[in-house]
Amino acid sequence: MRSIWNGAISFGLVSIPIKLVNATESHSISFRQIHVTDGGRVRYRKVCELDGEEVPSDEIGKGYEEADGSIVPITDEDLAQLPIATAKTIEIVSFVPADEIDPLQMDSAYYLAANGATAAKPYTLLREALKRSRKVAIAKFALRGRERLGMLRVVDDVIAMHGLLWPDEIRVPEGVAPEASVSVREAELDLADALMATLGEVEMSSLHDDYREAVEAMIAAKAGGAFEPSEAVAQPAGGQVIDLMAALESSVRAARASRGGDGGGGGEAEVTPIRRKASASAAAASPKAVGGKKSTAAGGRGGAAKKTASAKSTSKATASKSATKKAASGKKSTTSTSTSASAAAKKAAGAAKKAAPRKRSSA
């Protein structure tokens, strides 16, 4: 990596030659300004106000504008000869616990690389001292024309330096907090804690810039002539929070569902329903079912009706079978009576025939 500044770390009487290297880089997509009618690029030209001529970069310097509009030229040599100890030195002024540094002060980050073989020993000494003390070093240094404040800490086996804003550069947050007096219940705090526990931790390396990826895909599609614009997904408008507890409980449930139920902390959250007034037409269209008893009673009436209909059907079937049996029995009885009468008649005729005297035939 290319160094942007060479100097030394002043650690008491110890001097550590170092090179300053950018620890971060920007991956944001930059656009050019173009003329929308013909696609021509719009450029900025640096023109001298006195002669109207364009000035090349190597002829552009610095200058300070006075109140009356006059310009005082300032050269890099002028800045390098300023009587300050931090012109080419990162001067450590104290060691403090890391939690005493307000994250609001954090600015650009740099790596400090040992510059040469002679710097290896004192560099390692400072690194190990920072590790063992579990503190960070507060230092002053000059970079790009002004003195800055920095914080040195250990990252893996490297000393990193974060540029810090000066304390007077942090604005007081006046008028930012809610002006109305709001009280928060313990139950709400408990649910907020449950939501935090459910969301858990995240691997920072897994986070990425979705917007940049979408822009890159769109640029590639347009360059290839296959771009088809699609409608943006409409996000639901944020409404008034009616029930904060229900919103928290729903959030806990959704977070657990998104993590496959392994969210940790507590049992299953129950969502408190938000009561709304039903319209008259909806009430007329469907009967109210409140609670379990009315529903059970309705089920009982339905069951009784079914049982009554079943009993009536069974009774009709029984009556039909009984009538069929009676008809069959009557028919059988009539046949039997007729047969008995015929047999009796035959018997009587036989008896009468036997009782009558026989006529003798004449000789």
Side-chain angles (χ1 to χ4, degrees):
M1 291 185 285
R2 186 175 62 87
S3 63
I4 61 172
W5 183 88
N6 293 339
I9 298 175
S10 175
F11 177 32
L13 297 178
V14 178
S15 180
I16 309 171
I18 56 97
K19 296 183 294 184
L20 198 66
V21 178
N22 277 321
T24 62
E25 58 185 1
S26 175
H27 291 166
S28 61
I29 298 173
S30 59
F31 298 101
R32 300 292 187 186
Q33 290 188 330
I34 62 170
H35 189 196
V36 293
T37 58
D38 56 15
R41 182 175 170 184
V42 177
R43 296 180 180 271
Y44 288 98
R45 298 180 183 274
K46 297 180 180 181
V47 178
C48 177
E49 292 182 351
L50 297 180
D51 57 17
E53 297 292 331
E54 185 176 354
V55 182
S57 298
D58 57 355
E59 294 183 11
I60 297 176
K62 302 181 184 69
Y64 179 80
E65 185 176 2
E66 297 278 10
D68 58 0
S70 60
I71 302 294
V72 178
I74 304 294
T75 65
D76 291 338
E77 290 74 15
D78 295 334
L79 295 174
Q81 293 174 3
L82 290 175
I84 57 173
T86 58
K88 278 291 183 180
T89 304
I90 299 174
E91 183 181 2
I92 295 177
V93 295
S94 68
F95 294 87
V96 299
D99 56 7
E100 289 189 10
I101 305 300
D102 191 338
L104 284 174
Q105 289 185 259
M106 295 289 187
D107 200 0
S108 302
Y110 308 94
Y111 290 134
L112 303 182
N115 192 4
T118 57
K121 179 71 173 182
Y123 183 96
T124 304
L125 173 64
L126 176 59
R127 183 190 67 196
E128 296 305 314
L130 287 172
K131 279 185 181 180
R132 191 168 69 172
S133 67
R134 296 183 181 179
K135 292 183 177 181
V136 296
I138 303 301
K140 295 168 68 176
F141 66 102
L143 181 65
R144 297 191 178 104
R146 69 186 185 96
E147 190 173 53
R148 302 166 185 255
L149 193 62
M151 178 190 77
L152 278 63
R153 68 185 184 98
V154 178
V155 177
D156 295 333
D157 288 331
V158 175
I159 299 175
M161 181 173 68
H162 295 269
L164 299 179
L165 299 175
W166 295 99
D168 59 357
E169 292 180 313
I170 305 298
R171 300 176 62 185
V172 178
E174 293 180 353
V176 179
E179 295 181 359
S181 177
V182 179
S183 60
V184 179
R185 294 180 294 166
E186 287 294 327
E188 293 168 339
L189 283 173
D190 292 341
L191 276 173
D193 290 341
L195 178 57
M196 292 168 63
T198 303
L199 292 175
E201 299 178 357
V202 65
E203 288 290 337
M204 296 299 292
S205 60
S206 67
L207 302 178
H208 58 279
D209 188 348
D210 293 326
Y211 180 81
R212 177 174 60 87
E213 291 180 358
V215 172
E216 288 175 347
M218 180 264 293
I219 292 173
K222 294 196 78 169
F227 176 68
E228 294 182 3
S230 58
E231 294 183 2
V233 179
Q235 297 293 334
Q240 182 180 3
V241 177
I242 300 175
D243 190 334
L244 181 58
M245 291 289 288
L248 286 169
E249 289 170 343
S250 299
S251 300
V252 172
R253 176 173 292 178
R256 285 177 177 162
S258 67
R259 292 177 179 268
D262 184 16
E268 183 67 22
E270 295 296 331
V271 176
T272 304
I274 302 174
R275 296 183 180 179
R276 296 183 176 87
K277 293 182 179 179
S279 62
S281 60
S286 59
K288 264 188 178 179
V290 181
K293 291 185 178 179
K294 288 189 178 181
S295 176
T296 305
R301 286 198 297 270
K306 287 181 181 179
K307 287 181 180 179
T308 303
S310 177
K312 286 183 179 180
S313 176
T314 305
S315 177
K316 285 182 180 180
T318 305
S320 176
K321 287 182 180 179
S322 178
T324 304
K325 285 182 179 179
K326 283 182 180 180
S329 177
K331 187 176 181 181
K332 187 175 181 181
S333 177
T334 304
T335 306
S336 177
T337 304
S338 176
T339 305
S340 298
S342 177
K346 286 182 179 181
K347 189 176 183 181
K353 189 175 180 181
K354 286 182 180 180
R358 291 183 179 179
K359 292 182 180 182
R360 293 182 181 178
S361 59
S362 60

